[in-house]
Amino acid sequence: MERAVGRGHFRKADSSLKWQALRPRPSEEGASVIRQIVGDSEVKRLAKIIKSDYVGLAETKVQRLRDAGLDAIDKRREGEFRGHAEIPFTTYPSILEPFEPQLAGEGNLEDINYYRSLVVLFKFRLDPDVEAAPWVAEPLCT
């Protein structure tokens, strides 16, 4: 599973993901991801369409999500297109560290800490050649 990452969603110093990389768009029920089943170069092509400032991919495996109490589904396109899924974020699981529940009234700190706790489930893959059409780095989901 790959999530398109834009320029502002990773730290250049250590190539780590920022929590914002996983935050769903307002129209999404969860984090939209591309299933690697469509092939590495197709994943990259779709990611470049999704993010105009594309720099790489946030990668995880379905089993890793399931082990953390999450899943990857696509209710909108079941059986039609197998290259898309969403990771629904409906609860704040206490099993993921360093998530710590915040008191009500502290703005969106609880949301921020929740997404920070999920970032550990993903590995950031900086694209070594953003302009190239095919994915030219080590194969995805390895």
Side-chain angles (χ1 to χ4, degrees):
M1 313 242 68
E2 313 291 335
R3 180 147 168 99
V5 176
R7 193 174 297 116
H9 290 160
F10 83 104
R11 291 177 193 83
K12 289 182 184 177
D14 62 358
S15 289
S16 64
L17 284 173
K18 293 181 179 179
W19 67 269
Q20 293 92 334
L22 298 182
R23 184 178 212 160
R25 295 179 195 160
S27 62
E28 296 176 329
E29 292 180 18
S32 182
V33 293
I34 305 165
R35 293 181 183 267
Q36 197 279 332
I37 193 167
V38 297
D40 293 359
S41 293
E42 181 66 3
V43 167
K44 178 178 178 172
R45 187 187 74 76
L46 293 169
K48 288 175 74 172
I49 292 169
I50 294 165
K51 292 282 184 186
S52 61
D53 62 346
Y54 164 83
V55 293
L57 302 163
E59 178 175 79
T60 193
K61 294 186 178 189
V62 175
Q63 190 58 52
R64 190 158 190 201
L65 294 173
R66 289 184 178 146
D67 290 346
L70 299 169
D71 204 355
I73 58 171
D74 190 359
K75 293 184 241 178
R76 300 174 305 162
R77 295 180 170 179
E78 237 173 73
E80 181 185 324
F81 175 69
R82 299 180 339 186
H84 177 265
E86 283 190 3
I87 302 168
F89 297 140
T90 56
T91 61
Y92 297 129
S94 58
I95 59 170
L96 299 174
E97 297 298 332
F99 175 72
E100 294 178 17
Q102 303 293 316
L103 297 174
E106 291 187 278
N108 63 354
L109 269 181
E110 189 164 339
D111 287 348
I112 292 169
N113 285 334
Y114 175 64
Y115 295 119
R116 281 182 178 154
S117 76
L118 296 175
V119 166
V120 301
L121 300 175
F122 290 80
K123 174 184 175 185
F124 178 61
R125 304 281 301 273
L126 183 64
D127 192 329
D129 190 352
V130 173
E131 299 305 319
W135 177 258
V136 296
E138 182 179 320
L140 298 172
C141 282
T142 55

